Amino acid sequence: MKSGISPAALLCGLVAAGPVAAQTEIEFWHAFTGRLGELVDAQVAEFNASQSDYIVTASHKGNYSETLNAGIAAFRAGEQPDILMVFEVGTATMMAAKGAIRPVHEVMAEAGADFDPDAFIGSVKGYYTTTDGQMLSLPFNSSTPVLWVNRDALSAAGIDPDTDLSTWQQVGAVLDQLKAAGSTCPLTTAWQSWIHLENLSAYHDVPFATQENGFAGLDTELAFNAPLQVQHIQAMGDWARDGKFIYAGRRNEGGANFRAGECALFTESSAGYAGIKSEAQFAFEVRPLPYWEGVEGAPQNTIIGGASLWVMAGQTAKEYKGVASFLNFLSSPEIQARWHQDTGYLPITSAAGDLTREQGFYDANPGTDIAVRQMTAKEPTANSKGLRLGSFDQIRTIIDEELEGVWTGDKTAEAALNSAVERGNQLLRRFEQANR
Amino acid sequence: MEKRVRFKGIWLPLLLVLPQIVITAVFFFYPAGQAIWQSLFIPDPFGLSKQFVGLGNFEFLLSDRYYRASFITTAVFSTLVTVVSMGVALWLAVLADRLIKGSGTYRTLLIWPYAVAPAVAGVLWLFMFNTRVGVVTWYLGLLGYDWNHVLNGEEAMGLVVIASAWGRISYNFLFFLAGLQAIPRSVIEAAAIDGAAFWTRFRTIVFPLLSPTTFFLLVVNIVYAFFETFGVIHTITSGGPQQATTILVYKVYADGFVGQDLGSSAAQSVILLVVVSILTIVQFRYIERRVHY
């Protein structure tokens, strides 16, 4: 690897060389800005420097929704890129658009690339493969929810910071103690639907939706109003009423409260690592996401959030060869291991995880492998493979609205979840109709 | 009494209004026609296929009680934005009109907020009212008031109304000030000599003479509140908490651009178009009668 050369130097080299006529251009649209954007650019520059047949041009197209929209609008105008980054909730939309995409396994096979789908971590791969194991899009950035602990806040409340927080029962007891000790924010969360319903369901091996969470057909119906989910949301609602759970917003607004040291416990993506590490002025720790003790099969495995790379239809065979070569490069252990260590996203292949361990990263940064272990401890079941639901962005908004009703005390957990299921099912039926 | 200029023939007047007609056709009638056409289908996002559903999209929307509820939210929101932005602007304009020194500076400063884009205005207000680091929230906390627009629907509504009305105040201020300055001094002086105090003069002379401006601003502001405020909603509340700030135009955006449900989104814009047309007709038929030109 050319690890001794900086990405900037590589870029300079490219500019000096100029675009050679023989090079095939591969367009890649992504949704990353800031540090993540720089890291993507560095990967692209490294790929461009590593060979002379193809040149990848990466463009930032806004946030996840905007990037998806840009891709869709471009496709309608016949100007689509070769590779489009799509967040996990857009998976069903992309899958259903059979004429607009090329499945990754097909692109790889046609290009004769050496591609082994089994190299990918099961629960990462599962989200983006068909029920018969064919990979549709290449997992790119994946994370999973964990429990972040402010050790200093626990000590201040007279709680042993090493106390066991594996189960929600134990967390409940700690929240009582924190509240009694005067904590203004014992627990907060980011991404409430993703963590407290989608992952809750997978982690306890209960369905979030019928038809294998939508993998087995468009006629899926939401099923997250079962006793387990109602019990969990009711417990959270009770904690909210008592000031033990502080709701900060629909996205990751709660992160600011946690990083400022105000909150003791925080359920958030494992990819929150970079931000927490750079800002937290207190001793923090990563713990596995808690589960409800006594539920059969729990803890199963958690599911991912993040994005994958989709190959768009309508390009030349030569471009597809270049795409295959670029995607293979991205999933190589060295690139993946570095990406995992720089960002806190999961390593998407087992080899990248092993390489990271060999490099001593987990020893130097304790807890960074919790997410990996949580995801790979068990072989995913039909309930924990992932979710494939149409209009899922809107369904999440509905869930957000209904959960807010529980946090304010306007609704019981049961009424809110029943209503969310009923409203969400209407959208699923529309999606089914649109993609018939 | 009416004096009208009459053109001979039809071609010159037609030529003169042609640019206006062309612009309206290209930027209004064509897109509106497209929206009506698309509202009859359920397409897939990529435009690969679409199914004719007739009025199915409208049935789907109107049978949804959450969608119906957002009419009430929109009515409350638009009324508040219009009243707040026009009320404050009128007050400021009356004050500015009485200024003798420094009115230029005062006016310039008041016009500035109009240059701030709605989404940016949203972010500015969000910072001030941020539940954790907001300056206003902090002062309110000192007064013993626990501000939390993340969970409290009324506070969320209040915040988006202020953020939406704020930039509009400048615009309305300009028109009110111009209107006030067009009122002949002699009329006001005559009333003052007859012993009418400021408030009486305002009520019986100034406000009626200002009515064309007020009427124009009423129409323009309601249209603004209906159509152009989604940037503020998007940055501050995303329609929440629950559905407290989901106004019709925000739902058009969310369903179309985030949810990729273009059929429903098109149907919603048609409904919005009808609502605003009816409102405007009502305004012109019933309120305009009370306007003195």
Side-chain angles (χ1 to χ4, degrees):
Chain A
M1 295 305 322
K2 299 173 173 66
S3 50
I5 307 170
S6 75
L10 289 171
L11 273 175
C12 290
L14 273 176
V15 173
V20 182
Q23 282 185 322
T24 307
E25 191 183 334
I26 311 286
E27 265 191 282
F28 169 29
W29 289 4
H30 65 81
F32 283 156
T33 46
R35 178 84 185 119
L36 287 174
E38 287 167 24
L39 290 167
V40 169
D41 287 342
Q43 288 179 338
V44 168
E46 195 172 328
F47 173 76
N48 286 340
S50 71
Q51 44 74 50
S52 56
D53 294 335
Y54 312 104
I55 180 155
V56 175
T57 38
S59 336
H60 168 244
K61 291 286 169 186
N63 64 28
Y64 281 141
S65 296
E66 288 159 358
T67 304
L68 177 57
N69 270 314
I72 288 173
F75 181 82
R76 283 173 159 244
E79 301 282 336
Q80 69 272 29
D82 299 272
I83 304 171
L84 180 69
M85 175 188 275
V86 179
F87 58 160
E88 89 282 357
V89 299
T91 303
T93 303
M94 298 302 287
M95 255 194 76
K98 291 207 172 58
I101 55 129
R102 297 282 317 272
V104 161
H105 71 91
E106 222 175 274
V107 172
M108 292 296 193
E110 246 166 59
D114 179 23
F115 179 70
D116 175 18
D118 293 330
F120 294 86
I121 291 179
S123 32
V124 174
K125 184 184 63 177
Y127 214 108
Y128 304 114
T129 52
T130 59
T131 27
D132 55 358
Q134 301 280 37
M135 191 176 273
L136 295 169
S137 62
L138 187 85
F140 186 65
N141 58 307
S142 306
S143 62
T144 204
V146 291
L147 177 70
W148 295 87
V149 179
N150 178 338
R151 291 177 61 90
D152 294 353
L154 291 187
S155 305
I159 303 162
D160 174 11
D162 289 320
T163 186
D164 193 353
L165 293 169
S166 309
T167 68
W168 284 114
Q169 283 93 339
Q170 287 160 334
V171 170
V174 166
L175 293 182
D176 293 342
Q177 285 172 277
L178 283 162
K179 183 70 193 170
S183 168
T184 54
C185 177
L187 168 70
T188 191
T189 190
W191 314 111
Q192 52 189 354
S193 166
W194 182 54
I195 298 176
H196 294 285
L197 280 176
E198 297 160 36
N199 267 290
L200 176 88
S201 304
Y203 209 30
H204 294 81
D205 200 14
V206 293
F208 183 82
T210 59
Q211 293 287 14
E212 300 184 28
N213 286 343
F215 276 68
L218 287 173
D219 53 342
T220 170
E221 292 198 334
L222 299 172
F224 55 75
N225 54 348
L228 171 88
Q229 290 98 335
V230 170
Q231 178 207 339
H232 181 70
I233 297 304
Q234 191 58 58
M236 297 276 291
D238 293 343
W239 292 337
R241 187 195 58 213
D242 298 341
K244 295 175 197 162
F245 160 53
I246 302 297
Y247 175 65
R250 295 180 177 183
R251 292 180 277 241
N252 52 357
E253 291 88 345
N257 303 42
F258 180 77
R259 293 193 297 270
E262 195 190 322
C263 298
L265 303 178
F266 177 37
T267 48
E268 155 74 314
S269 154
S270 56
Y273 179 72
I276 292 172
K277 193 183 178 188
S278 68
E279 281 181 42
Q281 302 284 323
F282 52 85
F284 68 86
E285 191 185 1
V286 188
R287 300 281 190 90
L289 193 70
Y291 60 93
W292 286 100
E293 188 158 28
V295 178
E296 202 187 317
Q300 178 53 37
N301 64 293
T302 51
I303 55 178
I304 56 169
S308 68
L309 305 182
W310 287 83
V311 182
M312 304 293 289
Q315 314 289 7
T316 63
K318 198 157 182 220
E319 280 176 57
Y320 285 126
K321 254 187 122 87
V323 168
S325 153
F326 180 57
L327 296 186
N328 243 339
F329 167 83
L330 286 180
S331 39
S332 67
E334 292 80 11
I335 294 292
Q336 270 305 311
R338 204 184 318 149
W339 175 250
H340 165 51
Q341 294 167 30
D342 283 343
T343 60
Y345 282 113
L346 298 166
I348 56 170
T349 59
S350 320
D354 295 343
L355 184 64
T356 304
R357 180 159 291 118
E358 278 165 36
Q359 290 169 341
F361 180 77
Y362 296 138
D363 297 328
N365 300 276
T368 43
D369 61 337
I370 294 260
V372 185
R373 282 195 269 133
Q374 186 178 297
M375 288 210 60
T376 53
K378 285 187 189 170
E379 211 34 51
T381 67
N383 294 328
S384 72
K385 196 179 169 189
L387 301 173
R388 189 159 300 153
L389 303 171
S391 304
F392 197 40
D393 221 10
Q394 287 161 293
I395 294 177
R396 272 193 179 164
T397 304
I398 289 174
I399 292 174
D400 283 336
E401 289 170 6
E402 296 291 347
L403 288 183
E404 280 165 351
V406 180
W407 310 153
T408 50
D410 290 348
K411 287 186 176 180
T412 64
E414 195 175 3
L417 293 182
N418 284 342
S419 165
V421 164
E422 188 200 322
R423 294 171 65 193
N425 280 340
Q426 290 174 6
L427 293 178
L428 288 177
R429 293 295 69 78
R430 267 184 82 78
F431 185 79
E432 188 184 6
Q433 196 177 353
N435 290 287
R436 202 173 274 156
Chain B
M1 281 293 285
E2 266 185 278
K3 270 193 245 167
R4 277 192 183 164
V5 180
R6 289 196 181 272
F7 287 101
K8 282 178 191 155
I10 182 126
W11 295 110
L12 181 64
L14 207 60
L15 187 73
L16 292 176
V17 294
L18 191 66
Q20 174 79 51
I21 290 176
V22 169
I23 289 174
T24 315
V26 170
F27 292 103
F28 181 73
F29 289 123
Y30 176 70
Q34 280 279 312
I36 293 171
W37 178 245
Q38 285 186 4
S39 70
L40 305 176
F41 294 89
I42 294 185
D44 85 295
F46 288 87
L48 297 166
S49 66
K50 59 180 171 185
Q51 290 171 56
F52 181 76
V53 289
L55 297 176
N57 284 322
F58 294 96
E59 266 171 48
F60 171 73
L61 283 168
L62 296 173
S63 65
D64 179 0
R65 67 193 163 91
Y66 290 90
Y67 182 68
R68 293 199 304 266
S70 103
F71 280 92
I72 311 262
T73 312
T74 310
V76 171
F77 174 79
S78 308
T79 311
L80 286 174
V81 168
T82 308
V83 168
V84 169
S85 64
M86 285 178 64
V88 175
L90 180 59
W91 181 63
L92 291 171
V94 169
L95 294 183
D97 191 40
R98 288 159 65 92
L99 267 188
I100 296 162
K101 271 188 189 170
S103 62
T105 321
Y106 186 73
R107 261 179 282 167
T108 312
L109 287 177
L110 277 173
I111 291 160
W112 274 1
Y114 187 53
V116 179
V120 178
V123 172
L124 290 174
W125 285 92
L126 183 59
F127 265 122
M128 284 189 277
F129 282 89
N130 184 296
T131 49
R132 213 185 66 75
V133 296
V135 172
V136 181
T137 310
W138 188 74
Y139 280 115
L140 286 173
L142 290 185
L143 296 173
Y145 188 84
D146 185 17
W147 176 271
N148 188 359
H149 67 265
V150 177
L151 275 181
N152 184 320
E154 281 148 27
E155 289 174 4
M157 178 58 93
L159 185 54
V160 290
V161 165
I162 293 174
S164 308
W166 176 65
R168 264 338 254 196
I169 291 174
S170 305
Y171 179 88
N172 296 344
F173 166 79
L174 269 185
F175 279 88
F176 275 132
L177 188 64
L180 285 171
Q181 289 178 342
I183 294 174
R185 293 282 137 186
S186 52
V187 182
I188 295 171
E189 277 160 18
I193 292 166
D194 286 346
F198 171 76
W199 179 240
T200 317
R201 295 200 303 270
F202 181 79
R203 202 164 42 83
T204 58
I205 299 171
V206 176
F207 195 70
L209 285 175
L210 209 53
S211 60
T213 310
T214 314
F215 177 68
F216 162 76
L217 287 178
L218 183 69
V219 176
V220 169
N221 278 292
I222 288 181
V223 171
Y224 163 81
F226 263 82
F227 286 106
E228 287 171 52
T229 43
F230 87 91
V232 172
I233 306 271
H234 186 55
T235 46
I236 298 185
T237 61
S238 303
Q242 299 185 60
Q243 283 213 326
T245 56
T246 305
I247 58 170
L248 292 168
V249 71
Y250 183 70
K251 213 171 138 52
V252 172
Y253 163 79
D255 286 355
F257 287 90
V258 182
Q260 320 292 353
D261 189 346
L262 300 176
S264 164
S265 189
Q268 289 176 42
S269 19
V270 171
I271 292 175
L272 201 53
L273 196 74
V274 170
V275 170
V276 173
S277 307
I278 292 174
L279 264 179
T280 309
I281 291 170
V282 167
Q283 285 170 336
F284 272 92
R285 282 194 64 119
Y286 297 100
I287 303 179
E288 203 193 15
R289 286 184 185 169
R290 309 182 58 176
V291 170
H292 308 265
Y293 286 104

